Amino acid sequence: MILRIYRIIHGKKISGFRLLGYTFFGYAIGGVFDTIPLAINTLIVGVGIMGASILNDYYDWKLGGEINDVGSAVQEGRLSERNLLVLFLLPFIVLSMLIASLWWVSITKGAFILILVNLFLSVAYSIPKLRFKERPIIGILAPPIGIFFLFFEGLILLGYPNKTQLMVASIVFLFAWFLEFLHLVDDAEEPNEVHKITGQTGMQALRIVVTLGIVTGAIFSYYSVLFLITLIAWLLRAYTLSNMHACEILAARRSVFHPLWRLEEFVVYALFLIFI
């Protein structure tokens, strides 16, 4: 039950620990490896995801009536709201200690600022009054920006990027928007989710992002043939998307091996920038 409440594993909602992939990819693209700062930062991101997940699911259930693992545990008597408060506070207590420990290790100021910004976004996204997720504009902007910051914070943790690394970062930014619109289409198909856009609008937005990805891959390929992988990946995503309907997005989101993801693109970049 605890693993599902913290969304460490898939339950009624997708595991938030997928987001660690952005941080790890940032480390790989940055190409600088120092065990202690990387370990502390990874713990910060992981514990932060746990806290943000339980906070988000609690208010989605409490305010919106969403059926999720947190709400089900309380309704079925498996967990009291008092115990739930402890489970919520615990990650943030650990998180404050981990962030304080960063003063004793060498990381960039930019990375430290992004850690604090992402912590604010993850809380403001869910809690009442601020609750970014229900606001018409910031509710759409905050998730992909926050996801990109997870990557970029990992990238600049131990140093600042060169031109090639920045080009890869721009591709990650596009991909974050791609995943966000997948999320919005998925939400549009669920009765108790916040419907920020319709499924049809989301599918149109996905096609726009895919087109931008193809154009970006083509332009960057003039700089280096390495970026042909981006051109190919977005063409394949475009082909897969052209044969899908909004109702099929949920299944695609739950499996990172679905052809819509094409994560091979990022594996190639990671291996190239680590070893070449």
Side-chain angles (χ1 to χ4, degrees):
M1 180 181 71
I2 297 298
L3 295 180
R4 291 182 180 235
I5 283 176
Y6 282 127
R7 280 207 243 166
I8 296 172
I9 61 174
H10 285 345
K12 293 181 179 178
K13 301 187 78 171
I14 293 172
S15 172
F17 270 66
R18 285 184 175 184
L19 297 175
L20 272 172
Y22 288 93
T23 301
F24 290 147
F25 187 59
Y27 298 158
I29 299 303
V32 181
F33 302 100
D34 188 341
T35 304
I36 293 178
L38 292 182
I40 293 174
N41 191 69
T42 300
L43 286 172
I44 287 172
V45 175
V47 173
I49 289 170
M50 291 168 62
S53 295
I54 195 171
L55 183 68
N56 178 73
D57 288 356
Y58 173 75
Y59 282 113
D60 280 355
W61 165 67
K62 197 74 172 177
L63 301 178
E66 179 185 272
I67 300 173
N68 56 46
D69 289 296
V70 171
S72 295
V74 175
Q75 286 180 322
E76 295 167 9
R78 291 180 286 123
L79 188 68
S80 69
E81 291 200 46
R82 184 175 179 178
N83 289 336
L84 187 62
L85 178 62
V86 173
L87 291 178
F88 162 69
L89 290 176
L90 187 59
F92 285 94
I93 292 171
V94 174
L95 195 61
S96 63
M97 296 170 62
L98 289 169
I99 291 175
S101 71
L102 287 178
W103 288 108
W104 303 99
V105 298
S106 180
I107 66 170
T108 66
K109 291 181 180 178
F112 188 78
I113 290 171
L114 285 181
I115 289 171
L116 298 180
V117 169
N118 257 354
L119 179 60
F120 168 75
L121 287 175
S122 64
V123 173
Y125 188 72
S126 301
I127 62 173
K129 295 187 178 180
L130 286 176
R131 200 153 170 83
F132 285 176
K133 75 180 301 176
E134 293 185 353
R135 298 181 182 271
I137 297 176
I138 198 168
I140 294 176
L141 293 175
I145 290 174
I147 286 174
F148 175 73
F149 281 170
L150 283 176
F151 158 78
F152 203 71
E153 185 265 331
L155 173 62
I156 67 172
L157 187 70
L158 300 174
Y160 290 104
N162 57 34
K163 184 176 180 180
T164 299
Q165 291 166 335
L166 285 174
M167 293 170 79
V168 173
S170 67
I171 294 167
V172 174
F173 184 72
L174 269 177
F175 188 71
W177 277 101
F178 180 69
L179 293 188
E180 174 58 14
F181 283 119
L182 287 177
H183 185 188
L184 293 175
V185 172
D186 185 0
D187 283 353
E189 298 295 310
E190 296 292 328
N192 291 318
E193 283 284 1
V194 177
H195 296 173
K196 299 172 189 173
I197 58 176
T198 66
Q200 182 180 3
T201 300
M203 293 298 285
Q204 291 171 345
L206 281 169
R207 294 185 182 98
I208 291 173
V209 174
V210 166
T211 301
L212 289 174
I214 293 169
V215 171
T216 300
I219 293 172
F220 284 5
S221 295
Y222 281 98
Y223 170 75
S224 169
V225 294
L226 171 65
F227 292 103
L228 283 173
I229 186 65
T230 286
L231 176 59
I232 294 169
W234 284 106
L235 285 170
L236 291 172
R237 290 181 189 118
Y239 173 76
T240 303
L241 187 65
S242 68
N243 296 311
M244 293 184 68
H245 300 285
C247 60
E248 300 175 276
I249 294 299
L250 174 60
R253 285 190 69 228
R254 294 184 75 87
S255 173
V256 295
F257 299 106
H258 192 281
L260 198 57
W261 287 69
R262 293 297 172 186
L263 295 183
E264 307 94 308
E265 172 187 11
F266 302 107
V267 173
V268 170
Y269 285 130
L271 293 175
F272 183 87
L273 292 174
I274 290 173
F275 297 111
I276 302 301

